[in-house]
Amino acid sequence: QVQQVESGGGLVAAGGSLRLSCVTSGSIFVSNSMGWYRQAPGKQREFVASIAGDGGTYYTHSVQGRFTISRDIAKSTLYLQMNSLKPEDTAVYYCNAIPNTADTWGQGTQVTVSS
């Protein structure tokens, strides 16, 4: 079942910034690595960034140096700071545990970057 809610998306001009938040149930946050994913129109969902239990982070190449994943364990909340946004970053962004199953995806939050 879905145990997280994403927010923080919006419309921003190229070069701008947004910070996404993902509030989780807590149990999912404590016991799993967490990740951000995105799905652009007409494309498959893709991995963006992850943070492991020990705090280690990993990014897909296209966002390295621009996006930062972080977490607040006390608030059971995951964040994605997105800077220097590009039109190709336009997508619905989702957070989820790693690993995950098909029935655990939430509604996501829409990010639209205008050129």
Side-chain angles (χ1 to χ4, degrees):
Q1 68 278 20
V2 178
Q3 299 184 61
Q4 67 280 354
V5 177
E6 304 91 345
S7 64
L11 174 63
V12 62
S17 299
L18 285 173
R19 189 176 84 151
L20 306 184
S21 298
C22 170
V23 179
T24 77
S25 66
S27 59
I28 183 177
F29 199 80
V30 170
S31 59
N32 294 279
S33 297
M34 295 293 297
W36 284 99
Y37 302 77
R38 65 187 180 187
Q39 186 168 17
K43 296 186 177 181
Q44 289 190 332
R45 185 179 290 138
E46 65 173 357
F47 168 84
V48 175
S50 65
I51 185 164
D54 63 1
T57 58
Y58 183 79
Y59 301 90
T60 193
H61 178 73
S62 63
V63 308
Q64 284 180 349
R66 300 188 298 123
F67 290 11
T68 303
I69 188 172
S70 63
R71 65 188 178 183
D72 186 328
I73 295 175
K75 295 181 178 180
S76 299
T77 301
L78 185 73
Y79 302 101
L80 186 69
Q81 177 67 44
M82 306 186 295
N83 299 327
S84 302
L85 283 161
K86 304 176 181 180
E88 51 263 44
D89 294 319
T90 294
V92 178
Y93 284 71
Y94 304 86
C95 66
N96 208 340
I98 300 172
N100 53 66
T101 57
D103 63 342
T104 60
W105 294 95
Q107 296 294 315
T109 186
Q110 175 71 48
V111 172
T112 303
V113 184
S114 62
S115 58

